[in-house]
Amino acid sequence: MTTTAPTPELRTLSPRRRWAALGVLVGAVLLLAVDGTVLYLAVPSLTRELAPTAVEVLWIGDVYSLALAGLLVTAGNLADRFGRKKVLLLGTAAFGLASALAAFSPTAGVLVVARLLLGIAGATIMPSTLSLIRTLFTDPRERTRAIAIWSAGSGGGIALGPLVGGTLLEHFWWGSVFLINVPIVVVFLIAGAVLLPESRDPDPGRFDVFSAALSMAAIVPLVYAVKHAVSAGIDAQVAVAAAIGIAAGVLFVRRQKRAADPLIDVTLFRNGAFSGAVLASFIAVFALMGLLFFFSQYLQLVRGFSPLQAGFAEMPATLASIVVVAAVGVVVGRLGRGRAVAAALAVAALGLALVAVAERLPQYWWLGLTLVPVGLGVGLALTLTVDSVLSAVPRDKAGSASAISETAYELGAALGIAILGSLVTVVYRAFLPAGPIPAEVRDSLAAAANALDPGSGLAHAAREAFTGAMQVTSLAAAAVTAVAAVIAWRTIPSGKD
């Protein structure tokens, strides 16, 4: 993914056509980002309808990002070979079909499969967007601005997901959060067919099927090990799954170092600025997605908000992420890129720590105010790290760099839900009262809310236990985000733009 074949269509694109095409690409990444978070508010509703276990709830939320992370590099290589526009449009059509399946899933198992298919389809969409942006915008200044808009679309989608979900759930059943994708996909297919140019790598090299398999084998077993350890404790399955994942990861890295045409250029990680930017992006998404997955449940099941109220309650983070688009140029101009990323992550870490404090306060407004630094910090960090990744490597390595950046983003989301989500479950169970507890209550707060009288003492104790679990998880997310701030400060250059 290092070169792009120039075509007559590309050479004759007008400025208006380029920016209109960018609008289509931002719409694609916005759709993926919204779909990644829109489900969170629907968890209580689908729990009542489908009765999933705590582990199934985690898989419903996690398998989407897990499939994306595992397949992004492979899908990017396929797009380079067969045409980025072609793969993008085919993936979008598949995304619409998988959305319809998810909307009408009769069981939790079918919904997990549908979410898996959504992730597979999404993996064919994401890599082509940045590749096409590099194709459309050859001027470095224009390209930086386009990447900033692309990043804002991704961050804005994360923030808008809860609001979209809350609005739909206020009037329709839980499947509406998926069904809404279908008409959007139709519009995107028409606009993409008209506005997007085709491009491909004229010399992509040999496609390494074994490396593609190893990339998945390195991710899925490790996440399974975390989930199984939470549900059943540390046992032989956990040890075997973790060993398989680690071994596959080691083999993948070794194979990439020796391969003439690697799926990922692992030598890029020798560049400290590149590694720091990738790690900062990974941790920012890890903390945000891991917290958001259970935060929406907290608002509904502990605070008693309706889905729409919960969506609006998360609006401070949305508005803060919008401010980032206008402020990013000023911040980078004053601080430089590296210091700006570090400062953004430090602000996000402070916000996450304040969230832990505010979750016990009776008034919502304090909690809403704490979401402002979270949205502002994470939004600014995500916007800048993408540009930092591409700026840290030579132009002919931009394709490999963007593939790694996108994979880190999705892997951060998957592991954030798996690890921080699992931490919520473990701490929740630890904070429940001693003595015999019904299985539904011990399984999850969502299941407890369906099984208990809301006014009962046990229901109150379950809500208190969940609040305590949220506080612990918020502090854990704050700690890892603070570590990322230090890494960004020490590794990403701060030359002012």
Side-chain angles (χ1 to χ4, degrees):
M1 302 189 344
T2 58
T3 59
T4 297
T7 66
E9 182 185 10
L10 291 174
R11 289 193 291 265
T12 59
L13 283 179
S14 66
R16 181 178 297 180
R17 170 91 178 269
R18 288 201 307 272
W19 290 103
L22 175 65
V24 176
L25 298 175
V26 171
V29 74
L30 182 67
L31 175 65
L32 293 180
V34 168
D35 201 73
T37 57
V38 72
L39 174 68
Y40 301 168
L41 284 174
V43 169
S45 299
L46 69 86
T47 298
R48 288 192 295 270
E49 295 292 329
L50 304 181
T53 65
V55 174
E56 285 177 328
V57 169
L58 286 176
W59 273 115
I60 289 169
D62 205 20
V63 72
Y64 173 79
S65 291
L66 185 61
L68 268 173
L71 291 171
L72 274 171
V73 174
T74 300
N77 273 263
L78 293 175
D80 286 347
R81 291 170 176 278
F82 299 110
R84 289 148 188 161
K85 174 181 178 179
K86 183 184 299 181
V87 171
L88 177 62
L89 294 181
L90 287 174
T92 302
F95 194 87
L97 294 174
S99 296
L101 174 62
F104 297 105
S105 296
T107 66
V110 173
L111 183 56
V112 170
V113 172
R115 291 282 288 172
L116 172 64
L117 295 175
L118 281 168
I120 294 172
T124 65
I125 298 173
M126 182 71 80
S128 296
T129 56
L130 269 181
S131 296
L132 285 168
I133 286 175
R134 291 195 309 276
T135 297
L136 288 165
F137 298 94
T138 56
D139 179 77
R141 185 171 298 181
E142 278 194 345
R143 185 168 60 247
T144 298
R145 190 182 311 143
I147 290 173
I149 295 172
W150 178 92
S151 300
S154 179
I158 292 175
L160 284 173
L163 181 59
V164 172
T167 303
L168 291 171
L169 293 169
E170 191 75 9
H171 301 94
F172 307 103
W173 93 114
W174 64 265
S176 62
V177 301
F178 297 111
L179 196 59
I180 189 65
N181 292 339
V182 176
I184 297 174
V185 162
V186 172
V187 173
F188 176 84
L189 288 173
I190 296 172
V194 174
L195 294 173
L196 294 177
E198 183 59 281
S199 69
R200 59 174 54 86
D201 188 339
D203 185 23
R206 186 177 63 88
F207 181 72
D208 191 347
V209 177
F210 186 55
S211 289
L214 284 174
S215 67
M216 281 292 289
I219 295 173
V220 176
L222 289 175
V223 177
Y224 172 80
V226 173
K227 292 177 178 296
H228 187 76
V230 172
S231 62
I234 299 177
D235 55 17
Q237 290 189 48
V238 172
V240 171
I244 291 173
I246 293 172
V250 171
L251 289 174
F252 177 79
V253 171
R254 288 182 176 178
R255 189 173 180 86
Q256 301 319 294
K257 289 181 177 180
R258 297 194 305 264
D261 302 298
L263 290 183
I264 285 182
D265 186 356
V266 295
T267 61
L268 293 176
F269 285 100
R270 296 173 184 168
N271 183 322
F274 175 84
S275 299
V278 170
L279 185 59
S281 174
F282 171 85
I283 294 179
V285 176
F286 176 94
L288 180 66
M289 299 293 277
L291 180 69
L292 279 183
F293 184 70
F294 279 92
F295 190 70
S296 296
Q297 295 181 58
Y298 161 81
L299 291 174
Q300 293 179 76
L301 300 176
V302 176
R303 294 261 175 181
F305 288 5
S306 70
L308 182 58
Q309 288 173 328
F312 275 106
E314 296 180 30
M315 276 294 287
T318 305
L319 298 176
S321 68
I322 293 174
V323 172
V324 164
V325 178
V328 61
V330 175
V331 174
V332 175
R334 289 177 178 266
L335 299 179
R337 185 180 286 112
R339 285 191 290 268
V341 173
L345 290 168
V347 169
L350 175 62
L352 288 166
L354 293 174
V355 166
V357 176
E359 283 170 335
R360 287 284 184 188
L361 299 178
Q363 296 87 4
Y364 158 76
W365 295 109
W366 292 109
L367 184 59
L369 287 174
T370 65
L371 294 177
V372 173
V374 175
L376 187 65
V378 172
L380 182 59
L382 291 178
T383 298
L384 293 177
T385 49
V386 172
D387 198 26
S388 297
V389 164
L390 296 181
S391 300
V393 301
R395 183 174 298 179
D396 64 346
K397 297 291 186 181
S400 293
S402 64
I404 293 171
S405 176
E406 292 157 2
T407 301
Y409 181 99
E410 295 302 335
L411 187 57
L415 292 180
I417 295 174
I419 295 175
L420 294 183
S422 297
L423 179 62
V424 168
T425 302
V426 169
V427 178
Y428 163 74
R429 292 170 180 171
F431 284 177
L432 286 172
I437 299 291
E440 297 90 344
V441 177
R442 185 167 295 279
D443 188 61
S444 68
L445 180 62
N450 292 331
L452 299 175
D453 179 354
S456 68
L458 185 54
H460 175 74
R463 290 192 293 270
E464 287 293 305
F466 191 83
T467 301
M470 287 293 298
Q471 289 181 297
V472 171
T473 304
S474 298
L475 291 174
V480 297
T481 305
V483 170
V486 175
I487 293 172
W489 183 279
R490 294 180 63 88
T491 59
I492 303 176
S494 291
K496 296 183 179 180
D497 295 344

